[in-house]
Amino acid sequence: MPKMRRKGDLPEKICATCGRPFAWRKAWAAVWSEVKYCSDRCRRDRGTTDRTDRTRAD
């Protein structure tokens, strides 16, 4: 059985859309070098750089 890793020891990246850090997931094991976004929502919103501008009612 492989040695367990703590979540804090997993590699991280910064999301290209929201700028938040996100950790490696097993589902991304084969394509980790290509992963740019932390979620499907960020991938859909990739054209916008700042979400706060879209949510203002001004």
Side-chain angles (χ1 to χ4, degrees):
M1 192 160 146
K3 189 175 183 180
M4 299 298 290
R5 291 180 114 185
R6 288 184 291 210
K7 191 170 185 174
D9 294 338
L10 295 174
E12 287 188 347
K13 288 187 177 184
I14 303 296
C15 179
T17 302
C18 66
R20 296 180 185 155
F22 63 97
W24 180 90
R25 297 182 189 166
K26 189 173 182 178
W28 294 334
V31 292
W32 179 243
S33 61
E34 300 170 13
V35 175
K36 297 178 187 176
Y37 308 104
C38 62
S39 65
D40 288 336
R41 181 178 179 178
C42 282
R43 188 171 39 83
R44 280 193 311 268
D45 294 345
R46 65 181 166 242
T48 61
T49 56
D50 187 22
R51 288 186 179 179
T52 57
D53 288 343
R54 291 187 297 112
T55 57
R56 287 189 184 163
D58 297 317

